[in-house]
Amino acid sequence: MLNQRYAAIDQGTTGTRVVVFGEDGKHFSPAAIAHKQLTPNPGWVEHDPMEILRNIRTCISQCGVVDAMGLAHQGESVVAWDAQSGLPLYNAIIWQDQRTESVLRRLRAEGVEETVRAKTGLPLDTYFSGSKLGWIMRNVPGADELSRRGQLRLGTMDSFFMFHLCGTHVTDYNSASRTSLFNIHTLQWDEELCRIFGVPITALPEIRDNIGHFGDVTCSGNTTPLTACIVDQFAGTYGHGCLQPGQMKITFGTGAFLQSITGTVVPDAQGSGLLPTLCWKLPGEPPLYGLDGGVYNAASAINWAKKIGLYSDIEEFSDFPDQPAIARGLAFIPALSGLGCPYWDRSAAGLWAGLSLETERKDMLQSILEGIAMRSAEVIYAMDKVRPIGDTISVDGGLSANLYFKQFLASLIQKRIVTPSNREITAQGVALLARKGLGNAHPMNVSTQHVTTEPAERDLSPYFAKYKDIISRSRNLRSE
Ligand code: G3P
């Protein structure tokens, strides 16, 4: 048995952690550091990339000697930097940032949405990277001049970190596929897409397989190969063991992130509102594709309820009556940042329907959980239609600890929900990939223990129909 150790760097939206795995699957997390959330204007979300880079270095310095490292990152967030100084030209613009909505509205009016969707699988939504990089090119002094001198570097945040950690300007197929600039059929950056978004193609990184030798990281006197890079949500998919067509996972984080595996051909998701996505590409193999569907608000809705004083302790999201709140007429649409998949409608707003003088605070909490579950169910139904998913769905993230939530969701979709006992699913995915990237082919001994939630024999579909009616009323509610 090998005696190697792997460090998974989990660089997420709210913080950076490192988790060290041994061959026996045992793991520990020596460091976790939160970073500042900068919101300079309404709808804008930025991070300081140098702050996060320092946090990554601090985390790595706590790992001791490891044989390989892998990087999971926050997906669609972008950075622009100067190749000579390595310094960012502007803060990282985060996936949640909505500053480019008016640009996308113009592009929709110009009729390019179908071109973008056909080449990338993605709708014109502020979620993705292309319009954010275009914003930098138009608004950040010096970006254009650096680009003309061949000195500008652009990319999702993984490429910025790898530039500093390994001295390379690279990304991976999965990360590239979240940008709106990458053609998922040709597997290359696309000239036409770059023109549409105003992004110089020459400033983009080289795209590599998700595992392999991305470069060497030197820290505290140790030099370690970085052998995997992937968006955190897809690291989670891999970590859940969703590797075969029909398997699916949901991560309940800030939003609900749903991914299912479809196979080695780009799935035809036309008209479904789902995003055909390249999950990962391993050396010598065709890419593995899947369907992706994001619900913008999950934990963010729970946190918002706390902020406005609806509860003070998360334990209050328990001990609900058996009868769902929606059965008593109360429904919550968690469109606090608009509606993601399958609507992609930023004009939608959060909505409570069915309030009365009898409504209690506790009913409102119950309806928040049901609203998030029903938004997730919408995506699951859509996925099931495009490529049938199995009878089990694997879940992780904060809400996966809530028994009422899981039972409601399982009964609604009539599928078994499993929750791995290992809470480090994203890190486990990166560690497994990093290990594979080092050339260790035989399986690692990771824990397969989980908790199962069986669907109740109860027909919740009439409530779902009611909810669908209410959701239509949440659209076009947001003021410009
Ligand atoms: O698509 C955004 C997603 O990858 C961010 O995930 O866990 O960093 O909030 P997280």
Side-chain angles (χ1 to χ4, degrees), residues 107 112-124 129-131 133-134 176-177 179-186 188-201 204:
L107 290 177
V112 298
E113 182 147 42
E114 258 334 290
T115 306
V116 175
R117 203 186 278 272
K119 289 187 169 193
T120 66
L122 308 176
L124 287 175
S129 319
S131 66
L133 289 171
S177 80
T179 60
S180 304
L181 305 172
F182 173 81
N183 187 318
I184 55 172
H185 307 277
T186 64
Q188 287 172 344
W189 298 124
D190 188 286
E191 294 271 3
E192 184 184 15
L193 295 171
C194 288
R195 241 190 340 270
I196 288 173
F197 289 103
V199 175
I201 197 165
L204 294 172

mmCIF file of all heavy atoms in Angstrom, residues 107 112-124 129-131 133-134 176-177 179-186 188-201 204:
data_model
loop_
_atom_site.group_PDB
_atom_site.id
_atom_site.type_symbol
_atom_site.label_atom_id
_atom_site.label_comp_id
_atom_site.label_asym_id
_atom_site.label_seq_id
_atom_site.Cartn_x
_atom_site.Cartn_y
_atom_site.Cartn_z
ATOM 1 N N LEU A 107 -26.905 42.418 -25.754
ATOM 2 C CA LEU A 107 -26.519 41.275 -26.597
ATOM 3 C C LEU A 107 -27.742 40.420 -26.941
ATOM 4 O O LEU A 107 -27.870 39.923 -28.064
ATOM 5 C CB LEU A 107 -25.454 40.421 -25.904
ATOM 6 C CG LEU A 107 -24.066 41.058 -25.770
ATOM 7 C CD1 LEU A 107 -23.120 40.138 -25.005
ATOM 8 C CD2 LEU A 107 -23.487 41.390 -27.142
ATOM 9 N N VAL A 112 -27.702 37.513 -30.292
ATOM 10 C CA VAL A 112 -26.562 36.577 -30.303
ATOM 11 C C VAL A 112 -26.720 35.428 -29.302
ATOM 12 O O VAL A 112 -25.870 34.537 -29.229
ATOM 13 C CB VAL A 112 -25.202 37.282 -30.043
ATOM 14 C CG1 VAL A 112 -24.905 38.293 -31.111
ATOM 15 C CG2 VAL A 112 -25.182 37.928 -28.670
ATOM 16 N N GLU A 113 -27.807 35.437 -28.528
ATOM 17 C CA GLU A 113 -27.926 34.426 -27.465
ATOM 18 C C GLU A 113 -27.852 33.007 -28.014
ATOM 19 O O GLU A 113 -27.212 32.131 -27.426
ATOM 20 C CB GLU A 113 -29.211 34.616 -26.654
ATOM 21 C CG GLU A 113 -29.319 33.598 -25.522
ATOM 22 C CD GLU A 113 -30.023 34.117 -24.285
ATOM 23 O OE1 GLU A 113 -31.043 34.817 -24.425
ATOM 24 O OE2 GLU A 113 -29.555 33.843 -23.185
ATOM 25 N N GLU A 114 -28.478 32.789 -29.154
ATOM 26 C CA GLU A 114 -28.496 31.426 -29.692
ATOM 27 C C GLU A 114 -27.103 30.957 -30.097
ATOM 28 O O GLU A 114 -26.731 29.801 -29.901
ATOM 29 C CB GLU A 114 -29.490 31.314 -30.874
ATOM 30 C CG GLU A 114 -30.800 30.667 -30.472
ATOM 31 C CD GLU A 114 -30.708 29.710 -29.256
ATOM 32 O OE1 GLU A 114 -30.127 28.604 -29.348
ATOM 33 O OE2 GLU A 114 -31.208 30.111 -28.172
ATOM 34 N N THR A 115 -26.317 31.882 -30.667
ATOM 35 C CA THR A 115 -24.933 31.545 -31.048
ATOM 36 C C THR A 115 -24.152 31.142 -29.798
ATOM 37 O O THR A 115 -23.442 30.123 -29.782
ATOM 38 C CB THR A 115 -24.237 32.786 -31.675
ATOM 39 O OG1 THR A 115 -25.054 33.240 -32.733
ATOM 40 C CG2 THR A 115 -22.844 32.489 -32.161
ATOM 41 N N VAL A 116 -24.293 31.956 -28.757
ATOM 42 C CA VAL A 116 -23.544 31.682 -27.526
ATOM 43 C C VAL A 116 -23.992 30.344 -26.941
ATOM 44 O O VAL A 116 -23.177 29.496 -26.566
ATOM 45 C CB VAL A 116 -23.745 32.830 -26.494
ATOM 46 C CG1 VAL A 116 -23.079 32.500 -25.171
ATOM 47 C CG2 VAL A 116 -23.224 34.138 -27.056
ATOM 48 N N ARG A 117 -25.299 30.128 -26.909
ATOM 49 C CA ARG A 117 -25.827 28.901 -26.318
ATOM 50 C C ARG A 117 -25.388 27.671 -27.122
ATOM 51 O O ARG A 117 -24.994 26.653 -26.546
ATOM 52 C CB ARG A 117 -27.348 28.974 -26.267
ATOM 53 C CG ARG A 117 -27.965 28.079 -25.235
ATOM 54 C CD ARG A 117 -29.462 28.120 -25.368
ATOM 55 N NE ARG A 117 -30.082 29.253 -24.719
ATOM 56 C CZ ARG A 117 -30.458 29.246 -23.442
ATOM 57 N NH1 ARG A 117 -30.259 28.188 -22.693
ATOM 58 N NH2 ARG A 117 -31.043 30.300 -22.924
ATOM 59 N N ALA A 118 -25.426 27.803 -28.443
ATOM 60 C CA ALA A 118 -25.075 26.640 -29.275
ATOM 61 C C ALA A 118 -23.611 26.263 -29.097
ATOM 62 O O ALA A 118 -23.247 25.086 -29.077
ATOM 63 C CB ALA A 118 -25.366 26.949 -30.739
ATOM 64 N N LYS A 119 -22.745 27.267 -28.929
ATOM 65 C CA LYS A 119 -21.312 26.963 -28.826
ATOM 66 C C LYS A 119 -20.873 26.588 -27.414
ATOM 67 O O LYS A 119 -19.928 25.830 -27.237
ATOM 68 C CB LYS A 119 -20.490 28.176 -29.287
ATOM 69 C CG LYS A 119 -20.574 28.413 -30.785
ATOM 70 C CD LYS A 119 -19.620 29.509 -31.202
ATOM 71 C CE LYS A 119 -19.521 29.549 -32.721
ATOM 72 N NZ LYS A 119 -18.410 30.364 -33.181
ATOM 73 N N THR A 120 -21.553 27.187 -26.422
ATOM 74 C CA THR A 120 -21.064 27.000 -25.044
ATOM 75 C C THR A 120 -22.008 26.192 -24.158
ATOM 76 O O THR A 120 -21.604 25.726 -23.098
ATOM 77 C CB THR A 120 -20.893 28.371 -24.348
ATOM 78 O OG1 THR A 120 -22.198 28.956 -24.195
ATOM 79 C CG2 THR A 120 -20.022 29.313 -25.142
ATOM 80 N N GLY A 121 -23.273 26.088 -24.563
ATOM 81 C CA GLY A 121 -24.278 25.463 -23.699
ATOM 82 C C GLY A 121 -24.842 26.445 -22.681
ATOM 83 O O GLY A 121 -25.748 26.106 -21.922
ATOM 84 N N LEU A 122 -24.304 27.672 -22.645
ATOM 85 C CA LEU A 122 -24.672 28.612 -21.578
ATOM 86 C C LEU A 122 -25.574 29.734 -22.092
ATOM 87 O O LEU A 122 -25.379 30.220 -23.215
ATOM 88 C CB LEU A 122 -23.406 29.235 -20.972
ATOM 89 C CG LEU A 122 -22.317 28.259 -20.522
ATOM 90 C CD1 LEU A 122 -21.089 29.025 -20.027
ATOM 91 C CD2 LEU A 122 -22.824 27.338 -19.417
ATOM 92 N N PRO A 123 -26.516 30.183 -21.266
ATOM 93 C CA PRO A 123 -27.321 31.336 -21.657
ATOM 94 C C PRO A 123 -26.542 32.632 -21.411
ATOM 95 O O PRO A 123 -25.464 32.603 -20.808
ATOM 96 C CB PRO A 123 -28.516 31.261 -20.692
ATOM 97 C CG PRO A 123 -27.946 30.620 -19.469
ATOM 98 C CD PRO A 123 -26.878 29.664 -19.944
ATOM 99 N N LEU A 124 -27.089 33.754 -21.869
ATOM 100 C CA LEU A 124 -26.458 35.040 -21.562
ATOM 101 C C LEU A 124 -26.880 35.435 -20.158
ATOM 102 O O LEU A 124 -27.952 35.975 -19.945
ATOM 103 C CB LEU A 124 -26.909 36.102 -22.573
ATOM 104 C CG LEU A 124 -26.314 35.979 -23.973
ATOM 105 C CD1 LEU A 124 -26.921 37.006 -24.917
ATOM 106 C CD2 LEU A 124 -24.789 36.130 -23.946
ATOM 107 N N SER A 129 -18.311 34.005 -17.030
ATOM 108 C CA SER A 129 -17.139 34.892 -16.975
ATOM 109 C C SER A 129 -17.020 35.895 -18.119
ATOM 110 O O SER A 129 -16.451 36.976 -17.933
ATOM 111 C CB SER A 129 -15.861 34.049 -16.990
ATOM 112 O OG SER A 129 -15.985 32.919 -16.178
ATOM 113 N N GLY A 130 -17.479 35.534 -19.328
ATOM 114 C CA GLY A 130 -17.178 36.327 -20.522
ATOM 115 C C GLY A 130 -17.529 37.797 -20.370
ATOM 116 O O GLY A 130 -16.700 38.683 -20.636
ATOM 117 N N SER A 131 -18.745 38.095 -19.922
ATOM 118 C CA SER A 131 -19.159 39.504 -19.842
ATOM 119 C C SER A 131 -18.375 40.238 -18.752
ATOM 120 O O SER A 131 -18.167 41.449 -18.838
ATOM 121 C CB SER A 131 -20.666 39.617 -19.608
ATOM 122 O OG SER A 131 -21.012 39.097 -18.340
ATOM 123 N N LEU A 133 -15.145 39.668 -18.000
ATOM 124 C CA LEU A 133 -13.846 40.005 -18.591
ATOM 125 C C LEU A 133 -14.015 41.156 -19.581
ATOM 126 O O LEU A 133 -13.169 42.047 -19.663
ATOM 127 C CB LEU A 133 -13.241 38.765 -19.270
ATOM 128 C CG LEU A 133 -12.745 37.679 -18.299
ATOM 129 C CD1 LEU A 133 -12.360 36.405 -19.042
ATOM 130 C CD2 LEU A 133 -11.554 38.179 -17.471
ATOM 131 N N GLY A 134 -15.119 41.148 -20.330
ATOM 132 C CA GLY A 134 -15.403 42.250 -21.258
ATOM 133 C C GLY A 134 -15.538 43.569 -20.492
ATOM 134 O O GLY A 134 -15.045 44.617 -20.933
ATOM 135 N N ALA A 176 -12.691 26.282 -18.138
ATOM 136 C CA ALA A 176 -12.885 27.037 -19.380
ATOM 137 C C ALA A 176 -14.347 26.971 -19.824
ATOM 138 O O ALA A 176 -14.898 27.944 -20.351
ATOM 139 C CB ALA A 176 -11.974 26.484 -20.471
ATOM 140 N N SER A 177 -14.988 25.826 -19.569
ATOM 141 C CA SER A 177 -16.356 25.646 -20.063
ATOM 142 C C SER A 177 -17.367 26.499 -19.300
ATOM 143 O O SER A 177 -18.528 26.561 -19.685
ATOM 144 C CB SER A 177 -16.764 24.167 -19.987
ATOM 145 O OG SER A 177 -17.140 23.824 -18.671
ATOM 146 N N THR A 179 -16.927 29.805 -18.900
ATOM 147 C CA THR A 179 -16.608 31.205 -19.190
ATOM 148 C C THR A 179 -17.505 31.866 -20.227
ATOM 149 O O THR A 179 -17.516 33.084 -20.336
ATOM 150 C CB THR A 179 -15.158 31.328 -19.707
ATOM 151 O OG1 THR A 179 -15.055 30.532 -20.903
ATOM 152 C CG2 THR A 179 -14.151 30.867 -18.675
ATOM 153 N N SER A 180 -18.186 31.096 -21.070
ATOM 154 C CA SER A 180 -18.921 31.602 -22.247
ATOM 155 C C SER A 180 -17.968 31.921 -23.402
ATOM 156 O O SER A 180 -18.398 32.484 -24.404
ATOM 157 C CB SER A 180 -19.726 32.884 -21.989
ATOM 158 O OG SER A 180 -20.613 32.722 -20.953
ATOM 159 N N LEU A 181 -16.699 31.611 -23.264
ATOM 160 C CA LEU A 181 -15.731 31.902 -24.317
ATOM 161 C C LEU A 181 -15.175 30.623 -24.935
ATOM 162 O O LEU A 181 -14.431 30.655 -25.915
ATOM 163 C CB LEU A 181 -14.553 32.703 -23.733
ATOM 164 C CG LEU A 181 -14.925 34.000 -23.006
ATOM 165 C CD1 LEU A 181 -13.701 34.596 -22.321
ATOM 166 C CD2 LEU A 181 -15.532 35.000 -23.976
ATOM 167 N N PHE A 182 -15.563 29.486 -24.357
ATOM 168 C CA PHE A 182 -15.005 28.183 -24.726
ATOM 169 C C PHE A 182 -16.072 27.395 -25.485
ATOM 170 O O PHE A 182 -17.217 27.301 -25.041
ATOM 171 C CB PHE A 182 -14.613 27.453 -23.439
ATOM 172 C CG PHE A 182 -14.178 26.024 -23.619
ATOM 173 C CD1 PHE A 182 -12.890 25.721 -24.029
ATOM 174 C CD2 PHE A 182 -15.054 24.978 -23.344
ATOM 175 C CE1 PHE A 182 -12.481 24.394 -24.163
ATOM 176 C CE2 PHE A 182 -14.658 23.661 -23.481
ATOM 177 C CZ PHE A 182 -13.368 23.370 -23.894
ATOM 178 N N ASN A 183 -15.665 26.866 -26.637
ATOM 179 C CA ASN A 183 -16.589 26.087 -27.460
ATOM 180 C C ASN A 183 -16.552 24.628 -26.986
ATOM 181 O O ASN A 183 -15.512 23.965 -27.094
ATOM 182 C CB ASN A 183 -16.143 26.219 -28.926
ATOM 183 C CG ASN A 183 -17.132 25.597 -29.861
ATOM 184 O OD1 ASN A 183 -17.661 24.516 -29.594
ATOM 185 N ND2 ASN A 183 -17.381 26.262 -30.976
ATOM 186 N N ILE A 184 -17.669 24.154 -26.437
ATOM 187 C CA ILE A 184 -17.648 22.801 -25.847
ATOM 188 C C ILE A 184 -17.622 21.700 -26.909
ATOM 189 O O ILE A 184 -17.464 20.534 -26.584
ATOM 190 C CB ILE A 184 -18.808 22.538 -24.846
ATOM 191 C CG1 ILE A 184 -20.168 22.811 -25.458
ATOM 192 C CG2 ILE A 184 -18.627 23.293 -23.564
ATOM 193 C CD1 ILE A 184 -21.329 22.377 -24.549
ATOM 194 N N HIS A 185 -17.778 22.082 -28.178
ATOM 195 C CA HIS A 185 -17.705 21.084 -29.255
ATOM 196 C C HIS A 185 -16.285 20.983 -29.810
ATOM 197 O O HIS A 185 -15.765 19.888 -30.016
ATOM 198 C CB HIS A 185 -18.687 21.440 -30.377
ATOM 199 C CG HIS A 185 -20.092 21.642 -29.877
ATOM 200 N ND1 HIS A 185 -20.947 20.590 -29.665
ATOM 201 C CD2 HIS A 185 -20.755 22.756 -29.509
ATOM 202 C CE1 HIS A 185 -22.107 21.064 -29.197
ATOM 203 N NE2 HIS A 185 -22.005 22.372 -29.093
ATOM 204 N N THR A 186 -15.636 22.135 -30.028
ATOM 205 C CA THR A 186 -14.271 22.113 -30.586
ATOM 206 C C THR A 186 -13.212 22.003 -29.490
ATOM 207 O O THR A 186 -12.044 21.774 -29.775
ATOM 208 C CB THR A 186 -13.983 23.400 -31.383
ATOM 209 O OG1 THR A 186 -14.022 24.509 -30.474
ATOM 210 C CG2 THR A 186 -15.011 23.628 -32.487
ATOM 211 N N GLN A 188 -12.008 24.454 -27.691
ATOM 212 C CA GLN A 188 -11.042 25.559 -27.786
ATOM 213 C C GLN A 188 -11.713 26.878 -27.421
ATOM 214 O O GLN A 188 -12.931 27.003 -27.505
ATOM 215 C CB GLN A 188 -10.535 25.666 -29.230
ATOM 216 C CG GLN A 188 -9.602 24.555 -29.589
ATOM 217 C CD GLN A 188 -9.269 24.556 -31.075
ATOM 218 O OE1 GLN A 188 -9.954 25.186 -31.879
ATOM 219 N NE2 GLN A 188 -8.224 23.842 -31.425
ATOM 220 N N TRP A 189 -10.865 27.870 -27.084
ATOM 221 C CA TRP A 189 -11.398 29.238 -27.003
ATOM 222 C C TRP A 189 -11.953 29.578 -28.371
ATOM 223 O O TRP A 189 -11.387 29.162 -29.397
ATOM 224 C CB TRP A 189 -10.300 30.234 -26.634
ATOM 225 C CG TRP A 189 -9.649 30.021 -25.306
ATOM 226 C CD1 TRP A 189 -8.326 29.847 -25.076
ATOM 227 C CD2 TRP A 189 -10.276 29.995 -24.003
ATOM 228 N NE1 TRP A 189 -8.076 29.699 -23.723
ATOM 229 C CE2 TRP A 189 -9.258 29.788 -23.037
ATOM 230 C CE3 TRP A 189 -11.591 30.118 -23.554
ATOM 231 C CZ2 TRP A 189 -9.517 29.701 -21.673
ATOM 232 C CZ3 TRP A 189 -11.847 30.033 -22.189
ATOM 233 C CH2 TRP A 189 -10.822 29.831 -21.268
ATOM 234 N N ASP A 190 -13.025 30.343 -28.418
ATOM 235 C CA ASP A 190 -13.717 30.598 -29.678
ATOM 236 C C ASP A 190 -13.600 32.089 -30.045
ATOM 237 O O ASP A 190 -14.006 32.961 -29.290
ATOM 238 C CB ASP A 190 -15.192 30.213 -29.484
ATOM 239 C CG ASP A 190 -15.968 30.243 -30.770
ATOM 240 O OD1 ASP A 190 -16.264 31.366 -31.260
ATOM 241 O OD2 ASP A 190 -16.289 29.161 -31.279
ATOM 242 N N GLU A 191 -13.026 32.348 -31.242
ATOM 243 C CA GLU A 191 -12.801 33.737 -31.717
ATOM 244 C C GLU A 191 -14.097 34.544 -31.709
ATOM 245 O O GLU A 191 -14.125 35.677 -31.242
ATOM 246 C CB GLU A 191 -12.289 33.716 -33.172
ATOM 247 C CG GLU A 191 -10.929 33.095 -33.368
ATOM 248 C CD GLU A 191 -9.812 34.121 -33.234
ATOM 249 O OE1 GLU A 191 -10.106 35.282 -32.927
ATOM 250 O OE2 GLU A 191 -8.642 33.721 -33.406
ATOM 251 N N GLU A 192 -15.161 33.937 -32.235
ATOM 252 C CA GLU A 192 -16.423 34.684 -32.357
ATOM 253 C C GLU A 192 -16.970 35.060 -30.969
ATOM 254 O O GLU A 192 -17.427 36.180 -30.746
ATOM 255 C CB GLU A 192 -17.455 33.835 -33.118
ATOM 256 C CG GLU A 192 -18.754 34.586 -33.369
ATOM 257 C CD GLU A 192 -19.818 33.723 -34.046
ATOM 258 O OE1 GLU A 192 -19.668 32.484 -34.067
ATOM 259 O OE2 GLU A 192 -20.805 34.307 -34.549
ATOM 260 N N LEU A 193 -16.890 34.109 -30.027
ATOM 261 C CA LEU A 193 -17.393 34.384 -28.673
ATOM 262 C C LEU A 193 -16.565 35.480 -28.017
ATOM 263 O O LEU A 193 -17.091 36.380 -27.362
ATOM 264 C CB LEU A 193 -17.344 33.113 -27.820
ATOM 265 C CG LEU A 193 -18.267 31.974 -28.266
ATOM 266 C CD1 LEU A 193 -17.960 30.697 -27.480
ATOM 267 C CD2 LEU A 193 -19.729 32.367 -28.087
ATOM 268 N N CYS A 194 -15.251 35.421 -28.205
ATOM 269 C CA CYS A 194 -14.380 36.443 -27.621
ATOM 270 C C CYS A 194 -14.724 37.813 -28.202
ATOM 271 O O CYS A 194 -14.736 38.822 -27.487
ATOM 272 C CB CYS A 194 -12.903 36.106 -27.860
ATOM 273 S SG CYS A 194 -12.360 34.719 -26.846
ATOM 274 N N ARG A 195 -15.040 37.841 -29.503
ATOM 275 C CA ARG A 195 -15.435 39.113 -30.138
ATOM 276 C C ARG A 195 -16.745 39.620 -29.524
ATOM 277 O O ARG A 195 -16.885 40.788 -29.195
ATOM 278 C CB ARG A 195 -15.601 38.899 -31.644
ATOM 279 C CG ARG A 195 -14.648 39.750 -32.458
ATOM 280 C CD ARG A 195 -14.905 39.776 -33.939
ATOM 281 N NE ARG A 195 -15.687 38.710 -34.511
ATOM 282 C CZ ARG A 195 -15.199 37.552 -34.983
ATOM 283 N NH1 ARG A 195 -13.898 37.318 -34.905
ATOM 284 N NH2 ARG A 195 -15.993 36.641 -35.516
ATOM 285 N N ILE A 196 -17.706 38.709 -29.369
ATOM 286 C CA ILE A 196 -19.015 39.103 -28.822
ATOM 287 C C ILE A 196 -18.849 39.755 -27.451
ATOM 288 O O ILE A 196 -19.458 40.772 -27.138
ATOM 289 C CB ILE A 196 -19.958 37.868 -28.733
ATOM 290 C CG1 ILE A 196 -20.398 37.456 -30.136
ATOM 291 C CG2 ILE A 196 -21.158 38.146 -27.832
ATOM 292 C CD1 ILE A 196 -21.197 36.154 -30.189
ATOM 293 N N PHE A 197 -18.001 39.169 -26.599
ATOM 294 C CA PHE A 197 -17.868 39.692 -25.228
ATOM 295 C C PHE A 197 -16.772 40.753 -25.099
ATOM 296 O O PHE A 197 -16.625 41.360 -24.041
ATOM 297 C CB PHE A 197 -17.593 38.533 -24.255
ATOM 298 C CG PHE A 197 -18.795 37.648 -24.061
ATOM 299 C CD1 PHE A 197 -18.881 36.420 -24.689
ATOM 300 C CD2 PHE A 197 -19.857 38.060 -23.267
ATOM 301 C CE1 PHE A 197 -19.997 35.603 -24.521
ATOM 302 C CE2 PHE A 197 -20.971 37.263 -23.087
ATOM 303 C CZ PHE A 197 -21.044 36.025 -23.722
ATOM 304 N N GLY A 198 -15.993 40.965 -26.179
ATOM 305 C CA GLY A 198 -14.943 41.989 -26.119
ATOM 306 C C GLY A 198 -13.737 41.535 -25.322
ATOM 307 O O GLY A 198 -13.158 42.313 -24.552
ATOM 308 N N VAL A 199 -13.351 40.272 -25.498
ATOM 309 C CA VAL A 199 -12.229 39.709 -24.735
ATOM 310 C C VAL A 199 -11.104 39.324 -25.702
ATOM 311 O O VAL A 199 -11.346 38.579 -26.654
ATOM 312 C CB VAL A 199 -12.698 38.451 -23.961
ATOM 313 C CG1 VAL A 199 -11.536 37.769 -23.269
ATOM 314 C CG2 VAL A 199 -13.791 38.812 -22.961
ATOM 315 N N PRO A 200 -9.881 39.820 -25.490
ATOM 316 C CA PRO A 200 -8.780 39.442 -26.383
ATOM 317 C C PRO A 200 -8.385 37.971 -26.171
ATOM 318 O O PRO A 200 -7.929 37.611 -25.079
ATOM 319 C CB PRO A 200 -7.643 40.380 -25.991
ATOM 320 C CG PRO A 200 -7.982 40.857 -24.620
ATOM 321 C CD PRO A 200 -9.462 40.765 -24.440
ATOM 322 N N ILE A 201 -8.533 37.183 -27.206
ATOM 323 C CA ILE A 201 -8.320 35.730 -27.071
ATOM 324 C C ILE A 201 -6.870 35.417 -26.676
ATOM 325 O O ILE A 201 -6.602 34.438 -25.964
ATOM 326 C CB ILE A 201 -8.744 35.013 -28.373
ATOM 327 C CG1 ILE A 201 -8.949 33.514 -28.136
ATOM 328 C CG2 ILE A 201 -7.765 35.256 -29.507
ATOM 329 C CD1 ILE A 201 -9.708 32.807 -29.250
ATOM 330 N N LEU A 204 -5.954 34.875 -22.966
ATOM 331 C CA LEU A 204 -6.545 33.761 -22.212
ATOM 332 C C LEU A 204 -5.524 32.641 -21.996
ATOM 333 O O LEU A 204 -4.596 32.473 -22.796
ATOM 334 C CB LEU A 204 -7.774 33.218 -22.970
ATOM 335 C CG LEU A 204 -8.953 34.197 -23.067
ATOM 336 C CD1 LEU A 204 -10.035 33.649 -24.003
ATOM 337 C CD2 LEU A 204 -9.531 34.479 -21.682
#
